[in-house]
Amino acid sequence: LDYTAAEARNLLTFNKNYAEFGCGPDKITHPGDQDHYCYVETLEEVLKNLRDHPEVPSNFSIKIELKGPGTALPAVQLVQKLNMTHRCHYSSFEHSRIAEVREHDPSVITGA
């Protein structure tokens, strides 16, 4: 299934008080949100937030799991655009996606 970020946000429902959410409901919702609403960030939003947040250590790393077909190249291009290649590691159980990442940028860190 392919959804835009806006479509996914409209379709996603969850219990914001679920005990397994370690950060608490105030970190994943906004005041006035319906009880079932959750803001799902895009990969670009996550990367920019990590890169620019003053409390995130400058030596952080993030693993990007390539879940679906056609995800490898756009992910690598986005990471390069944001100048974050040294911070991102790629993984996938589909080895062809890892091969595609390496083909586009042999310097990246990958795993399966």
Side-chain angles (χ1 to χ4, degrees):
L1 300 174
D2 293 318
Y3 296 107
T4 66
E7 290 168 335
R9 289 178 189 124
N10 286 329
L11 292 171
L12 181 66
T13 60
F14 80 112
N15 176 358
K16 70 180 181 181
N17 296 305
Y18 183 61
E20 302 256 341
F21 290 133
C23 60
D26 59 316
K27 300 289 185 188
I28 54 178
T29 59
H30 298 101
D33 285 345
Q34 297 176 4
D35 282 343
H36 67 277
Y37 180 81
C38 178
Y39 184 82
V40 179
E41 292 187 334
T42 64
L43 178 58
E44 184 169 8
E45 290 170 324
V46 169
L47 293 176
K48 284 180 177 179
N49 286 337
L50 286 170
R51 182 192 66 192
D52 300 338
H53 196 286
E55 294 179 19
V56 174
S58 60
N59 63 344
F60 78 90
S61 64
I62 184 171
K63 183 177 282 189
I64 299 172
E65 174 72 26
L66 303 168
K67 294 283 190 183
T71 56
L73 185 58
V76 171
Q77 289 172 332
L78 174 62
V79 167
Q80 289 174 334
K81 178 181 99 171
L82 298 175
N83 195 28
M84 295 181 66
T85 300
H86 62 297
R87 297 281 175 235
C88 297
H89 306 182
Y90 301 87
S91 64
S92 179
F93 290 116
E94 180 60 50
H95 295 174
S96 64
R97 292 187 191 115
I98 297 300
E100 189 178 348
V101 166
R102 287 183 181 158
E103 184 178 304
H104 188 69
D105 186 349
S107 71
V108 299
I109 299 171
T110 59

